[in-house]
Amino acid sequence: MGSGSSSYSPRTIYLDVDGKVQKVVFSRHCSPCDIKELLCSSSNIPRNTAITVVDPEGAMVSIDPTMPTNSPNSLYKVIPQSTGQLGEKEEVFQNVLSQVAEQFSRAFQINEIKTEVTNKLAMLERKVELEGLKVVEIEKCKNDLRKLRDEMTSRGVSRVNCQCKYSFTDDGKKVTPRRDIPTYPKYTLSQETIEALKKPTFDVWHWEHNEMLSCLEYMYHDLGIVREFNMNPITLKRWLLAIQENYRNNPFHNFRHCFCVSQMMYGMLHLCNLQDKLSLTDMVILMTAAVCHDLDHPGYNNTYQINARTELAVRYNDISPLENHHCAVAFQILSLPECNIFANVEPEAFKQMRQSIITLILATDMAKHGEILESFKQNVDNFDFTNAEHVACLRMVLIKCCDISNEVRPTEVAEPWVDCLLEEYFMQSDREKSEGLPVAPFMDRDKVTKPTAQIGFIKFVLIPMFETVMRLFPQIEEIMVQPLRDSRDHYEELKQLEDAMTEGSSFMVKFRKKLEKM
C-alpha cells in the first residue's frame, strides 16, 4: 500500500514570543479551540484568553486547521485582547469553583475514597500477580476440553451440537463408551492431596481432567463403595470416562463443576462424620448423584428451556426439564454393560438406589429450594438418623449445599467461578434478547455486576441454608459458614465502593452541565 495522503501531515507555524522564535505544530484534525489553547500555551498566555494572530504586516490570520503556514523569517504574533471585564468574571468563577470543589471533597470524602481506591488497586495488583498462573490453568482446561470434543468427533460419538435444541432417536445410544481398558494414567495421590480432598479449601483449579478422574476414583475406593457393591474397578474407570465425556464445554456447568460438587460432598461426609451415621448405600447415592447431577447441561437454564419451548421443555412438560434430562443421561450411561458400576447389585436394591439418585438430582432445581429447606428445618432440631424420611431430606439438603458451595471455598478459588457463571448468564441473556424472550435482571450484562450478583444470593440463599445445616453439624461453622459471612462482607464492601464512585461520577456530570450554562 502507498503512503498516507499529505492532507494528513501536521501543519507547522512559527511565532514571535518575546523576540524568540517559537515553533508550533498541530494536526489538521485539531479543532479551533485546541489550536487557540496551543497558541496561548506557546506564547505564555493564560488559557481561555481571547487572542488574535497577526502576520508581520499586521494582517489578522484565521485561527483554525487551515491557517496558512509561515517561515522563521515571517513570524506570526499572538496578541491577547483586552479582557479586563472577562478577567474579573474569571476570578469570580475560579472562586466559586474552588468553593464547590472544597464542599464536594468534604461531602464525598474524596481523600478517603482515593486512599481506599489506592489500597484496593494495590490488593488487586497483588492478586493479579498471584493468580497469573491460575489464568494459565483455566486456559489449559479450556484447551483440554476442545481437544476432548475433537477426539469424540473423530471417534464418531453421536453428540448433539446445538446447545439448546435436542434431538434424540429411539434406535441409538447417546453415548458410546470406550470398550477397551481406559488408558488415562493412574495417579498416585500424595498424602497431602488425600488430606486436602477432605476439606472445602481444596483448590480445584490446579488439576487436569485425568487427575480429577483419579481423585473421583480414589473417593469411591476410600469410602468403601467399590468393595461394598462389588464394583469392577475397570468398569468404574469406564463409567467415570463416560461421565466426563458427557459434560459439555460450558463456561460454568462443565466437568470441573461436576468435580467441585463431588469433592465438596466427599469433604462434607468427612467433616460431618457421616460415615458413622449413614449407610454405605446412602454414601453411594450421595456421591453418584453429585457426579451425575449436571450431565449434558446445555448452558441455558430451565427458564430459557420453558420460554423457548425447547424439545426438553416439551418432553418433560416444563417440570425441571434440565434435571430430568441429567437423570436420563445418567441412567442411559449406566444401562450400558461396560459402564454399569451397579451390575452386581440386586435388582430390588438397585431400583431403590436409582429412585434415590433421581430424587437428589431433581432436588438441585433451585425452584424447589424453599420447599426442601423448610422440610429440613422442621426435622433438624429433633433429627433422627434412624428415620428414613429424615435421612432422605438430609441427603437432598447435602447435595443442594454442595451444588452451590463455591463461596464456601477461599476467595482465590471461589471468585473465578463467579466470572464463569456470569459468562454463562450473559451468553443466555444475549440469546434471549435476540429471540425476543424475557431476560432475568441478574443475567443481563447491562444491569448486573459481581457484587450485585453475589450479595443477595449469599445473604438469602447460602447463609440461611448452611446455618440450618450447622444446627445439626456445629463443626461446619468455622470452615464453611464463616467463609460465607466473609464473602458477603467482601462483596458488600465492593458494592459500597461502586455506589460511591457512581454517585461521584453522576455529581460531576451534573456539575459540568451547570457550569456550561453559566
mmCIF file of all heavy atoms in Angstrom, residues 349-378:
data_model
loop_
_atom_site.group_PDB
_atom_site.id
_atom_site.type_symbol
_atom_site.label_atom_id
_atom_site.label_comp_id
_atom_site.label_asym_id
_atom_site.label_seq_id
_atom_site.Cartn_x
_atom_site.Cartn_y
_atom_site.Cartn_z
ATOM 1 N N ALA A 349 -32.642 -53.722 45.170
ATOM 2 C CA ALA A 349 -31.785 -52.709 45.808
ATOM 3 C C ALA A 349 -31.417 -51.618 44.800
ATOM 4 O O ALA A 349 -31.420 -50.425 45.129
ATOM 5 C CB ALA A 349 -30.522 -53.365 46.366
ATOM 6 N N PHE A 350 -31.133 -52.027 43.554
ATOM 7 C CA PHE A 350 -30.793 -51.048 42.526
ATOM 8 C C PHE A 350 -31.985 -50.130 42.237
ATOM 9 O O PHE A 350 -31.821 -48.924 42.037
ATOM 10 C CB PHE A 350 -30.354 -51.737 41.234
ATOM 11 C CG PHE A 350 -30.134 -50.774 40.089
ATOM 12 C CD1 PHE A 350 -29.014 -49.944 40.060
ATOM 13 C CD2 PHE A 350 -31.058 -50.678 39.067
ATOM 14 C CE1 PHE A 350 -28.831 -49.042 39.022
ATOM 15 C CE2 PHE A 350 -30.874 -49.775 38.022
ATOM 16 C CZ PHE A 350 -29.756 -48.963 38.002
ATOM 17 N N LYS A 351 -33.180 -50.702 42.239
ATOM 18 C CA LYS A 351 -34.380 -49.909 41.980
ATOM 19 C C LYS A 351 -34.516 -48.792 43.011
ATOM 20 O O LYS A 351 -34.822 -47.641 42.674
ATOM 21 C CB LYS A 351 -35.608 -50.819 42.004
ATOM 22 C CG LYS A 351 -36.920 -50.111 41.720
ATOM 23 C CD LYS A 351 -38.088 -51.097 41.744
ATOM 24 C CE LYS A 351 -39.412 -50.380 41.512
ATOM 25 N NZ LYS A 351 -40.552 -51.343 41.563
ATOM 26 N N GLN A 352 -34.283 -49.124 44.277
ATOM 27 C CA GLN A 352 -34.380 -48.120 45.335
ATOM 28 C C GLN A 352 -33.258 -47.077 45.235
ATOM 29 O O GLN A 352 -33.491 -45.877 45.433
ATOM 30 C CB GLN A 352 -34.336 -48.814 46.701
ATOM 31 C CG GLN A 352 -35.555 -49.706 46.952
ATOM 32 C CD GLN A 352 -35.465 -50.442 48.283
ATOM 33 O OE1 GLN A 352 -34.540 -50.213 49.066
ATOM 34 N NE2 GLN A 352 -36.406 -51.335 48.537
ATOM 35 N N MET A 353 -32.043 -47.544 44.902
ATOM 36 C CA MET A 353 -30.918 -46.615 44.738
ATOM 37 C C MET A 353 -31.167 -45.670 43.555
ATOM 38 O O MET A 353 -30.906 -44.468 43.638
ATOM 39 C CB MET A 353 -29.611 -47.397 44.531
ATOM 40 C CG MET A 353 -29.131 -48.118 45.786
ATOM 41 S SD MET A 353 -27.859 -49.353 45.457
ATOM 42 C CE MET A 353 -26.600 -48.379 44.712
ATOM 43 N N ARG A 354 -31.683 -46.231 42.461
ATOM 44 C CA ARG A 354 -31.988 -45.422 41.273
ATOM 45 C C ARG A 354 -32.993 -44.314 41.638
ATOM 46 O O ARG A 354 -32.799 -43.147 41.282
ATOM 47 C CB ARG A 354 -32.527 -46.313 40.162
ATOM 48 C CG ARG A 354 -33.212 -45.561 39.014
ATOM 49 C CD ARG A 354 -33.716 -46.537 37.946
ATOM 50 N NE ARG A 354 -34.822 -45.976 37.187
ATOM 51 C CZ ARG A 354 -34.708 -45.109 36.173
ATOM 52 N NH1 ARG A 354 -33.517 -44.700 35.810
ATOM 53 N NH2 ARG A 354 -35.770 -44.669 35.534
ATOM 54 N N GLN A 355 -34.045 -44.681 42.367
ATOM 55 C CA GLN A 355 -35.060 -43.699 42.734
ATOM 56 C C GLN A 355 -34.481 -42.608 43.620
ATOM 57 O O GLN A 355 -34.791 -41.420 43.478
ATOM 58 C CB GLN A 355 -36.225 -44.395 43.439
ATOM 59 C CG GLN A 355 -37.411 -43.466 43.702
ATOM 60 C CD GLN A 355 -37.920 -42.800 42.422
ATOM 61 O OE1 GLN A 355 -38.263 -43.480 41.458
ATOM 62 N NE2 GLN A 355 -37.954 -41.472 42.404
ATOM 63 N N SER A 356 -33.590 -42.997 44.527
ATOM 64 C CA SER A 356 -32.978 -42.020 45.437
ATOM 65 C C SER A 356 -32.042 -41.069 44.687
ATOM 66 O O SER A 356 -32.008 -39.861 44.964
ATOM 67 C CB SER A 356 -32.208 -42.737 46.549
ATOM 68 O OG SER A 356 -33.092 -43.498 47.355
ATOM 69 N N ILE A 357 -31.284 -41.597 43.738
ATOM 70 C CA ILE A 357 -30.378 -40.757 42.938
ATOM 71 C C ILE A 357 -31.188 -39.761 42.117
ATOM 72 O O ILE A 357 -30.851 -38.573 42.031
ATOM 73 C CB ILE A 357 -29.480 -41.630 42.030
ATOM 74 C CG1 ILE A 357 -28.479 -42.419 42.887
ATOM 75 C CG2 ILE A 357 -28.738 -40.770 41.005
ATOM 76 C CD1 ILE A 357 -27.717 -43.490 42.118
ATOM 77 N N ILE A 358 -32.284 -40.229 41.514
ATOM 78 C CA ILE A 358 -33.159 -39.344 40.743
ATOM 79 C C ILE A 358 -33.703 -38.230 41.636
ATOM 80 O O ILE A 358 -33.714 -37.049 41.260
ATOM 81 C CB ILE A 358 -34.315 -40.142 40.109
ATOM 82 C CG1 ILE A 358 -33.781 -41.056 38.998
ATOM 83 C CG2 ILE A 358 -35.395 -39.209 39.559
ATOM 84 C CD1 ILE A 358 -34.811 -42.019 38.440
ATOM 85 N N THR A 359 -34.143 -38.602 42.837
ATOM 86 C CA THR A 359 -34.680 -37.611 43.773
ATOM 87 C C THR A 359 -33.655 -36.532 44.091
ATOM 88 O O THR A 359 -33.983 -35.334 44.148
ATOM 89 C CB THR A 359 -35.134 -38.300 45.070
ATOM 90 O OG1 THR A 359 -36.166 -39.248 44.763
ATOM 91 C CG2 THR A 359 -35.669 -37.291 46.082
ATOM 92 N N LEU A 360 -32.396 -36.935 44.290
ATOM 93 C CA LEU A 360 -31.355 -35.962 44.636
ATOM 94 C C LEU A 360 -31.038 -35.044 43.458
ATOM 95 O O LEU A 360 -30.858 -33.836 43.643
ATOM 96 C CB LEU A 360 -30.083 -36.686 45.085
ATOM 97 C CG LEU A 360 -30.151 -37.454 46.408
ATOM 98 C CD1 LEU A 360 -28.742 -37.756 46.921
ATOM 99 C CD2 LEU A 360 -30.912 -36.685 47.470
ATOM 100 N N ILE A 361 -30.938 -35.600 42.264
ATOM 101 C CA ILE A 361 -30.632 -34.756 41.099
ATOM 102 C C ILE A 361 -31.774 -33.766 40.859
ATOM 103 O O ILE A 361 -31.548 -32.584 40.573
ATOM 104 C CB ILE A 361 -30.361 -35.617 39.850
ATOM 105 C CG1 ILE A 361 -29.085 -36.454 40.053
ATOM 106 C CG2 ILE A 361 -30.227 -34.741 38.603
ATOM 107 C CD1 ILE A 361 -28.763 -37.404 38.918
ATOM 108 N N LEU A 362 -33.019 -34.227 41.000
ATOM 109 C CA LEU A 362 -34.165 -33.320 40.838
ATOM 110 C C LEU A 362 -34.174 -32.243 41.921
ATOM 111 O O LEU A 362 -34.666 -31.129 41.695
ATOM 112 C CB LEU A 362 -35.473 -34.108 40.874
ATOM 113 C CG LEU A 362 -35.733 -35.060 39.696
ATOM 114 C CD1 LEU A 362 -37.040 -35.812 39.899
ATOM 115 C CD2 LEU A 362 -35.765 -34.299 38.378
ATOM 116 N N ALA A 363 -33.609 -32.559 43.084
ATOM 117 C CA ALA A 363 -33.573 -31.584 44.189
ATOM 118 C C ALA A 363 -32.642 -30.416 43.895
ATOM 119 O O ALA A 363 -32.720 -29.378 44.569
ATOM 120 C CB ALA A 363 -33.133 -32.271 45.483
ATOM 121 N N THR A 364 -31.760 -30.554 42.900
ATOM 122 C CA THR A 364 -30.844 -29.445 42.582
ATOM 123 C C THR A 364 -31.540 -28.341 41.788
ATOM 124 O O THR A 364 -30.931 -27.293 41.533
ATOM 125 C CB THR A 364 -29.619 -29.958 41.786
ATOM 126 O OG1 THR A 364 -30.056 -30.535 40.547
ATOM 127 C CG2 THR A 364 -28.848 -30.993 42.591
ATOM 128 N N ASP A 365 -32.792 -28.551 41.377
ATOM 129 C CA ASP A 365 -33.560 -27.470 40.734
ATOM 130 C C ASP A 365 -33.856 -26.414 41.790
ATOM 131 O O ASP A 365 -34.552 -26.679 42.776
ATOM 132 C CB ASP A 365 -34.863 -28.042 40.162
ATOM 133 C CG ASP A 365 -35.681 -26.991 39.407
ATOM 134 O OD1 ASP A 365 -35.305 -25.808 39.430
ATOM 135 O OD2 ASP A 365 -36.705 -27.377 38.804
ATOM 136 N N MET A 366 -33.334 -25.190 41.600
ATOM 137 C CA MET A 366 -33.490 -24.136 42.602
ATOM 138 C C MET A 366 -34.957 -23.732 42.794
ATOM 139 O O MET A 366 -35.296 -23.083 43.789
ATOM 140 C CB MET A 366 -32.653 -22.914 42.226
ATOM 141 C CG MET A 366 -31.154 -23.104 42.437
ATOM 142 S SD MET A 366 -30.720 -23.526 44.146
ATOM 143 C CE MET A 366 -31.153 -22.009 44.993
ATOM 144 N N ALA A 367 -35.823 -24.122 41.884
ATOM 145 C CA ALA A 367 -37.252 -23.830 42.058
ATOM 146 C C ALA A 367 -37.810 -24.574 43.268
ATOM 147 O O ALA A 367 -38.844 -24.184 43.824
ATOM 148 C CB ALA A 367 -38.020 -24.221 40.798
ATOM 149 N N LYS A 368 -37.134 -25.641 43.699
ATOM 150 C CA LYS A 368 -37.593 -26.434 44.845
ATOM 151 C C LYS A 368 -36.859 -26.068 46.132
ATOM 152 O O LYS A 368 -37.051 -26.732 47.163
ATOM 153 C CB LYS A 368 -37.393 -27.923 44.551
ATOM 154 C CG LYS A 368 -38.158 -28.416 43.324
ATOM 155 C CD LYS A 368 -37.890 -29.888 43.081
ATOM 156 C CE LYS A 368 -38.656 -30.406 41.869
ATOM 157 N NZ LYS A 368 -38.388 -31.820 41.593
ATOM 158 N N HIS A 369 -36.015 -25.035 46.079
ATOM 159 C CA HIS A 369 -35.149 -24.720 47.213
ATOM 160 C C HIS A 369 -35.938 -24.465 48.496
ATOM 161 O O HIS A 369 -35.672 -25.071 49.541
ATOM 162 C CB HIS A 369 -34.295 -23.487 46.884
ATOM 163 C CG HIS A 369 -33.449 -23.034 48.026
ATOM 164 N ND1 HIS A 369 -32.248 -23.628 48.343
ATOM 165 C CD2 HIS A 369 -33.631 -22.040 48.944
ATOM 166 C CE1 HIS A 369 -31.732 -23.027 49.396
ATOM 167 N NE2 HIS A 369 -32.544 -22.058 49.785
ATOM 168 N N GLY A 370 -36.915 -23.573 48.443
ATOM 169 C CA GLY A 370 -37.664 -23.207 49.643
ATOM 170 C C GLY A 370 -38.388 -24.386 50.257
ATOM 171 O O GLY A 370 -38.382 -24.577 51.484
ATOM 172 N N GLU A 371 -39.000 -25.187 49.417
ATOM 173 C CA GLU A 371 -39.759 -26.350 49.899
ATOM 174 C C GLU A 371 -38.852 -27.342 50.618
ATOM 175 O O GLU A 371 -39.181 -27.834 51.712
ATOM 176 C CB GLU A 371 -40.428 -27.014 48.687
ATOM 177 C CG GLU A 371 -41.115 -28.328 48.995
ATOM 178 C CD GLU A 371 -41.557 -29.048 47.724
ATOM 179 O OE1 GLU A 371 -41.593 -28.413 46.649
ATOM 180 O OE2 GLU A 371 -41.860 -30.251 47.821
ATOM 181 N N ILE A 372 -37.687 -27.641 50.039
ATOM 182 C CA ILE A 372 -36.766 -28.623 50.632
ATOM 183 C C ILE A 372 -36.174 -28.092 51.931
ATOM 184 O O ILE A 372 -36.105 -28.820 52.943
ATOM 185 C CB ILE A 372 -35.652 -28.975 49.628
ATOM 186 C CG1 ILE A 372 -36.240 -29.718 48.426
ATOM 187 C CG2 ILE A 372 -34.559 -29.809 50.289
ATOM 188 C CD1 ILE A 372 -35.260 -29.928 47.286
ATOM 189 N N LEU A 373 -35.758 -26.827 51.941
ATOM 190 C CA LEU A 373 -35.152 -26.271 53.151
ATOM 191 C C LEU A 373 -36.160 -26.194 54.293
ATOM 192 O O LEU A 373 -35.834 -26.486 55.450
ATOM 193 C CB LEU A 373 -34.575 -24.882 52.857
ATOM 194 C CG LEU A 373 -33.786 -24.236 53.996
ATOM 195 C CD1 LEU A 373 -32.610 -25.111 54.404
ATOM 196 C CD2 LEU A 373 -33.298 -22.839 53.586
ATOM 197 N N GLU A 374 -37.399 -25.830 53.980
ATOM 198 C CA GLU A 374 -38.427 -25.745 55.013
ATOM 199 C C GLU A 374 -38.695 -27.121 55.621
ATOM 200 O O GLU A 374 -38.874 -27.261 56.837
ATOM 201 C CB GLU A 374 -39.712 -25.161 54.417
ATOM 202 C CG GLU A 374 -40.795 -24.873 55.448
ATOM 203 C CD GLU A 374 -40.345 -23.898 56.524
ATOM 204 O OE1 GLU A 374 -39.565 -22.970 56.217
ATOM 205 O OE2 GLU A 374 -40.772 -24.076 57.695
ATOM 206 N N SER A 375 -38.718 -28.139 54.789
ATOM 207 C CA SER A 375 -38.925 -29.507 55.275
ATOM 208 C C SER A 375 -37.790 -29.921 56.209
ATOM 209 O O SER A 375 -38.024 -30.549 57.253
ATOM 210 C CB SER A 375 -39.026 -30.464 54.083
ATOM 211 O OG SER A 375 -39.165 -31.791 54.529
ATOM 212 N N PHE A 376 -36.551 -29.556 55.853
ATOM 213 C CA PHE A 376 -35.403 -29.909 56.683
ATOM 214 C C PHE A 376 -35.444 -29.160 58.015
ATOM 215 O O PHE A 376 -35.108 -29.721 59.066
ATOM 216 C CB PHE A 376 -34.114 -29.595 55.931
ATOM 217 C CG PHE A 376 -32.862 -29.964 56.681
ATOM 218 C CD1 PHE A 376 -32.536 -31.281 56.935
ATOM 219 C CD2 PHE A 376 -32.005 -28.974 57.148
ATOM 220 C CE1 PHE A 376 -31.385 -31.622 57.636
ATOM 221 C CE2 PHE A 376 -30.861 -29.297 57.847
ATOM 222 C CZ PHE A 376 -30.543 -30.626 58.087
ATOM 223 N N LYS A 377 -35.874 -27.884 57.983
ATOM 224 C CA LYS A 377 -35.951 -27.102 59.216
ATOM 225 C C LYS A 377 -36.897 -27.736 60.232
ATOM 226 O O LYS A 377 -36.672 -27.665 61.441
ATOM 227 C CB LYS A 377 -36.416 -25.679 58.896
ATOM 228 C CG LYS A 377 -35.363 -24.792 58.274
ATOM 229 C CD LYS A 377 -35.921 -23.399 57.990
ATOM 230 C CE LYS A 377 -34.868 -22.476 57.398
ATOM 231 N NZ LYS A 377 -35.421 -21.136 57.095
ATOM 232 N N GLN A 378 -37.952 -28.356 59.750
ATOM 233 C CA GLN A 378 -38.922 -28.981 60.649
ATOM 234 C C GLN A 378 -38.344 -30.194 61.360
ATOM 235 O O GLN A 378 -38.815 -30.577 62.434
ATOM 236 C CB GLN A 378 -40.169 -29.379 59.854
ATOM 237 C CG GLN A 378 -40.951 -28.185 59.302
ATOM 238 C CD GLN A 378 -42.111 -28.600 58.429
ATOM 239 O OE1 GLN A 378 -42.421 -29.798 58.299
ATOM 240 N NE2 GLN A 378 -42.779 -27.621 57.813
#
